[in-house]
């Protein structure tokens, strides 16, 4: 049988206790240092996140203001239906026996700019000149390359008068 003296057992117990205490202190110190490092990282990231949230909120406000301004500007200009009725009215008043101007359609290019598609049916050269004069009053005209009687008018709308 193996026997251990009380002195040796006491020494082993003290050594194990000291090693466990040292290990515990090292473990607790390491854990505290890691906790402190993680806490600092969390604080920095939280501050950055709050800054980004504030920037995002400011940008969202700016976007909503710009959208509102765009909406207000769009309200100031003619819609396609209003433009169609206006141009058809002009063409009906101006068309006479010598020439006939027909509204075929319009394509919206931007908020205040339209491309009007018109057809001119002229009986004489003077009628064609008069019809071109009316179209040029609305904007820059360009003759279609495919069709002889189709003209494109670059129409720039003016803002409506707000009452």
């Amino acid at each position: 049988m193996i026997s251990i003296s009380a002195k040796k057992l006491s020494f082993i117990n003290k050594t194990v206790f000291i090693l466990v205490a040292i290990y515990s202190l090292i473990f607790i110190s390491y854990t505290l240092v890691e906790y402190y490092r993680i806490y600092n990282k969390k604080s920095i990231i939280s501050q950055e996140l709050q800054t980004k949230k504030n920037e995002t909120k400011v940008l969202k406000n700016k976007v909503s203001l710009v959208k509102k301004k765009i909406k207000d500007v769009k309200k100031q200009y003619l819609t396609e239906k209003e433009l169609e009725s206006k141009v058809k009215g002009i063409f009906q008043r101006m068309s006479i026996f010598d020439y006939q101007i027909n509204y075929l359609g319009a394509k919206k290019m931007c908020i205040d700019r339209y491309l009007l598609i018109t057809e001119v049916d002229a009986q004489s050269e003077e009628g064609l000149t008069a019809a071109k004069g009316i179209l040029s009053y609305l904007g820059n005209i360009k003759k279609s390359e495919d069709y002889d009687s189709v003209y494109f008018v670059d129409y720039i709308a003016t803002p409506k008068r707000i009452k």
Side-chain angles (χ1 to χ4, degrees):
M1 226 170 149
I2 301 177
S3 67
I4 299 177
S5 67
K7 209 176 188 185
K8 195 161 188 138
L9 186 61
S10 170
F11 176 75
I12 292 173
N13 282 339
K14 284 181 186 176
T15 307
V16 168
F17 180 73
I18 290 173
L19 288 175
V20 168
I22 290 173
Y23 176 78
S24 295
L25 286 175
I26 291 173
F27 179 76
I28 289 171
S29 299
Y30 177 77
T31 306
L32 288 175
V33 167
E34 276 300 308
Y35 176 77
Y36 180 73
R37 188 179 319 142
I38 290 171
Y39 182 77
N40 282 340
K41 280 184 179 180
K42 179 187 169 235
S43 298
I44 292 170
I45 291 173
S46 296
Q47 289 174 353
E48 288 177 6
L49 180 63
Q50 189 61 40
T51 304
K52 296 295 181 184
K53 281 182 179 180
N54 292 340
E55 289 174 2
T56 303
K57 192 180 284 186
V58 167
L59 288 175
K60 283 182 179 180
N61 289 337
K62 285 182 181 179
V63 166
S64 65
L65 286 175
V66 168
K67 283 182 179 180
K68 185 180 181 293
K69 286 180 183 178
I70 288 173
K71 190 176 180 181
D72 292 343
V73 168
K74 281 184 178 181
K75 284 181 183 178
Q76 291 180 355
Y77 289 95
L78 296 172
T79 63
E80 286 190 45
K81 289 182 181 181
E82 292 171 335
L83 177 69
E84 180 178 350
S85 64
K86 180 181 176 182
V87 171
K88 281 185 177 181
I90 292 171
F91 290 168
Q92 285 176 355
R93 285 192 312 270
M94 295 297 179
S95 294
I96 56 174
F97 295 117
D98 198 21
Y99 62 91
Q100 183 73 29
I101 304 173
N102 297 318
Y103 175 82
L104 299 178
K107 181 178 180 186
K108 189 171 190 169
M109 304 304 276
C110 64
I111 290 175
D112 65 341
R113 196 172 206 157
Y114 289 91
L115 182 66
L116 303 177
I117 304 166
T118 60
E119 178 184 33
V120 175
D121 184 24
Q123 303 300 326
S124 66
E125 193 63 38
E126 290 83 17
L128 182 61
T129 305
K132 283 183 181 179
I134 293 169
L135 293 178
S136 65
Y137 176 75
L138 294 174
N140 296 328
I141 61 171
K142 184 173 181 180
K143 187 175 182 179
S144 172
E145 295 173 1
D146 298 333
Y147 303 102
D148 288 337
S149 61
V150 175
Y151 289 86
F152 302 105
V153 180
D154 184 16
Y155 177 74
I156 300 174
T158 55
K160 295 177 190 175
R161 292 189 179 136
I162 300 173
K163 296 177 182 179

